[in-house]
Amino acid sequence: MNIDIFTLFPEWFAWFSSQRHVSNVLAAGTRLKCVNPRDHTPLSGGQVDDTPFGGGAGMVLRVDVLDCALRAHYGVDPVALREQRRVIALAPGGRLLDERLVEELAGEPALTLLCGRYEGFDERIVEHFASDVVSIGRYVLSGGELAAMVLCDAVLRKLPGALGDERSAAEESFSAALEGNPEYPHYTRPAEYRGWRVPDVLLSGHHEQIAAWRRERSRERGAPAPGRDEQ
Ligand code: ADE
């Protein structure tokens, strides 16, 4: 998979790329590249944003700047780019990122992520360049970078070789193996701590009973409970 991230803060992704599960998939051939729109701006002084028409606080990422950056990187009109690959603008009001969307994106050969800053994007970026608008939650971050990292983290751990043990991904929360439910609880040594005992079945060595217990706990966690937020 090829992931390009358009961000004014490419240095943030150096730390992200060095994390084990990310570096594992990068070593296995996945590419993650940052492009800084500031390096391609046609405006003087490295300008990339401007004040919003109609007034209001903050700055808005300019459509002409992103047009130049996308065109310089891909060598095509960005309007045509979204026919070739998913171009995802990160914004608080977009489609909420969930396991279904993560699975869908993990099956793509290439992704382009657009990180807004300050007040976000000129809307024409979203209208004409993006194929998707994705949100990681209904709250406002100071930019799309952390959202892009969350999306990449969730997608990359689906790729072969990301996790040491492939079973970790197969039986994790919301997977088909768990019928879309959250994962069952885990315990490790000590078997008893301050009087809090690990469930006996997990110490029993009976694999079928353990599997049945885990499925049951997972189903319980998936059942709507009062106060649990539904989307
Ligand atoms: N940019 C700012 N806030 C965001 C959010 N919650 N999700 C995605 N991108 C964002």
Side-chain angles (χ1 to χ4, degrees), residues 3-23:
I3 304 180
D4 294 326
I5 303 167
F6 285 70
T7 169
L8 296 170
F9 299 90
E11 64 280 3
W12 288 29
F13 291 86
W15 169 83
F16 177 71
S17 303
S18 70
Q19 301 311 299
R20 175 63 65 85
H21 62 292
V22 180
S23 63

Side-chain angles (χ1 to χ4, degrees), residues 13 90-91 97 113 115 134-137 141 143-153:
F13 291 86
L90 281 317
L97 185 68
L113 306 183
C115 301
V134 170
S135 168
I136 62 162
L141 301 166
E145 281 75 14
L146 289 174
M149 283 186 219
V150 167
L151 185 153
C152 286
D153 188 292

Side-chain angles (χ1 to χ4, degrees), residues 95-109:
R95 173 176 170 188
L96 281 173
L97 185 68
D98 60 8
E99 193 64 10
R100 195 153 59 100
L101 180 54
V102 169
E103 293 274 2
E104 192 182 307
L105 297 178
E108 294 284 336

Side-chain angles (χ1 to χ4, degrees), residues 150-197:
V150 167
L151 185 153
C152 286
D153 188 292
V155 166
L156 293 179
R157 68 198 302 287
K158 299 280 179 208
L159 303 185
L163 311 175
D165 180 347
E166 295 307 319
R167 278 173 308 172
S168 329
E171 269 215 354
E172 69 184 3
S173 289
F174 318 117
S175 60
L178 294 180
E179 301 159 5
N181 290 315
E183 203 173 359
Y184 44 80
H186 294 284
Y187 298 87
T188 187
R189 280 175 278 275
E192 181 165 348
Y193 182 69
R194 294 180 56 188
W196 306 324
R197 272 191 58 73

Side-chain angles (χ1 to χ4, degrees), residues 43-57:
L43 308 173
S44 57
Q47 185 185 350
V48 291
D49 51 11
D50 226 318
T51 52
F53 283 128

Side-chain angles (χ1 to χ4, degrees), residues 1-227:
M1 174 184 274
N2 275 346
I3 304 180
D4 294 326
I5 303 167
F6 285 70
T7 169
L8 296 170
F9 299 90
E11 64 280 3
W12 288 29
F13 291 86
W15 169 83
F16 177 71
S17 303
S18 70
Q19 301 311 299
R20 175 63 65 85
H21 62 292
V22 180
S23 63
N24 281 350
V25 291
L26 296 182
T30 290
R31 252 198 52 232
L32 195 142
K33 187 171 175 19
C34 288
V35 180
N36 189 341
R38 210 181 291 285
D39 294 339
H40 302 281
T41 179
L43 308 173
S44 57
Q47 185 185 350
V48 291
D49 51 11
D50 226 318
T51 52
F53 283 128
M59 301 291 273
V60 176
L61 196 60
R62 286 178 54 138
V63 63
D64 50 350
V65 171
L66 214 61
D67 192 350
C68 287
L70 288 163
R71 199 181 289 264
H73 188 68
Y74 295 109
V76 297
D77 183 339
V79 171
L81 186 65
R82 62 182 174 184
E83 310 298 333
Q84 300 168 14
R85 56 197 282 150
R86 299 282 280 268
V87 179
I88 300 170
L90 281 317
R95 173 176 170 188
L96 281 173
L97 185 68
D98 60 8
E99 193 64 10
R100 195 153 59 100
L101 180 54
V102 169
E103 293 274 2
E104 192 182 307
L105 297 178
E108 294 284 336
L111 300 175
T112 298
L113 306 183
L114 307 179
C115 301
R117 265 273 129 183
Y118 320 117
E119 284 306 295
F121 307 98
D122 184 304
E123 190 59 21
R124 290 166 291 184
I125 293 173
V126 172
E127 271 175 34
H128 300 289
F129 300 158
S131 60
D132 306 73
V133 186
V134 170
S135 168
I136 62 162
R138 296 290 184 242
Y139 43 82
V140 183
L141 301 166
S142 18
E145 281 75 14
L146 289 174
M149 283 186 219
V150 167
L151 185 153
C152 286
D153 188 292
V155 166
L156 293 179
R157 68 198 302 287
K158 299 280 179 208
L159 303 185
L163 311 175
D165 180 347
E166 295 307 319
R167 278 173 308 172
S168 329
E171 269 215 354
E172 69 184 3
S173 289
F174 318 117
S175 60
L178 294 180
E179 301 159 5
N181 290 315
E183 203 173 359
Y184 44 80
H186 294 284
Y187 298 87
T188 187
R189 280 175 278 275
E192 181 165 348
Y193 182 69
R194 294 180 56 188
W196 306 324
R197 272 191 58 73
V198 169
D200 286 335
V201 63
L202 297 179
L203 309 175
S204 68
H206 289 127
H207 298 298
E208 277 169 24
Q209 284 177 23
I210 291 171
W213 181 89
R214 285 177 164 168
R215 267 196 309 277
E216 207 40 50
R217 298 292 82 70
S218 170
R219 278 191 197 122
E220 275 170 15
R221 287 181 162 187

